[in-house]
């Protein structure tokens, strides 16, 4: 949702657009269903330093979420997980830290070890 510039209202769960990065911090977005609102500044502060912007790994996560429930059996599930790990590893971005927790260099080293890449 962060990558789409959207939020779910904490009062009524309605999903709606919020001001994106670069908008004035006091710009307000109101829930179309109830009275709840949030400023651009508060919205951005809610995910700051959490590496939640999908970037290049976003399609890999979407593919995994769509395909994993249909993957039956150990081998099919492991292939689904392997494709996701490979996609975020190949991108080398913050998505790898969100998938495998740790410091950036530590995560990339773990993924390199899993992939059999010598450093």
């Amino acid at each position: 949702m962060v990558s789409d510039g959207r939020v779910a209202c904490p009062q009524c769960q309605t999903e709606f657009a919020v001001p994106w990065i670069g908008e004035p911090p006091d710009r307000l977005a109101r829930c179309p269903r109830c009275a709840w609102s949030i400023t651009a500044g508060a919205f951005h502060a809610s995910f700051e330093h959490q590496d939640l912007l999908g970037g290049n790994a976003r399609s890999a996560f979407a593919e995994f979420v769509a395909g994993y429930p249909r993957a039956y059996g150990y081998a099919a599930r492991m292939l689904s997980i392997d494709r996701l790990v490979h996609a975020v590893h190949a991108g080398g971005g913050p998505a790898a830290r969100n998938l495998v927790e740790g410091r950036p260099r530590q995560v990339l080293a773990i993924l390199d070890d899993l992939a059999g890449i010598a450093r």
Side-chain angles (χ1 to χ4, degrees), residues 24-25 31-32 53 80-82 91 109 117:
C31 175
L53 297 176
S80 183
I81 293 166
D82 182 66
I117 297 172

Side-chain angles (χ1 to χ4, degrees), residues 32-102:
R33 188 182 254 169
C34 72
W36 188 80
S37 63
I38 189 167
T39 64
F43 174 67
H44 298 139
S46 73
F47 64 84
E48 190 174 30
H49 305 296
Q50 294 184 44
D51 296 325
L52 295 178
L53 297 176
N56 295 337
R58 187 169 181 208
S59 62
F61 281 112
E63 195 174 303
F64 176 79
V65 168
Y68 188 80
R70 296 188 310 263
Y72 293 104
Y74 178 82
R77 288 184 176 154
M78 286 305 293
L79 283 172
S80 183
I81 293 166
D82 182 66
R83 285 185 196 104
L84 176 62
V85 169
H86 175 73
V88 299
H89 181 225
R97 287 194 308 255
N98 287 339
L99 186 62
V100 180
E101 209 171 301

Side-chain angles (χ1 to χ4, degrees), residues 7-12 14 16-19 25-44 46:
V7 68
C9 174
Q11 291 182 359
C12 69
T14 299
F16 62 97
V18 291
D26 60 344
R27 183 164 173 210
L28 200 61
R30 292 189 190 281
C31 175
R33 188 182 254 169
C34 72
W36 188 80
S37 63
I38 189 167
T39 64
F43 174 67
H44 298 139
S46 73

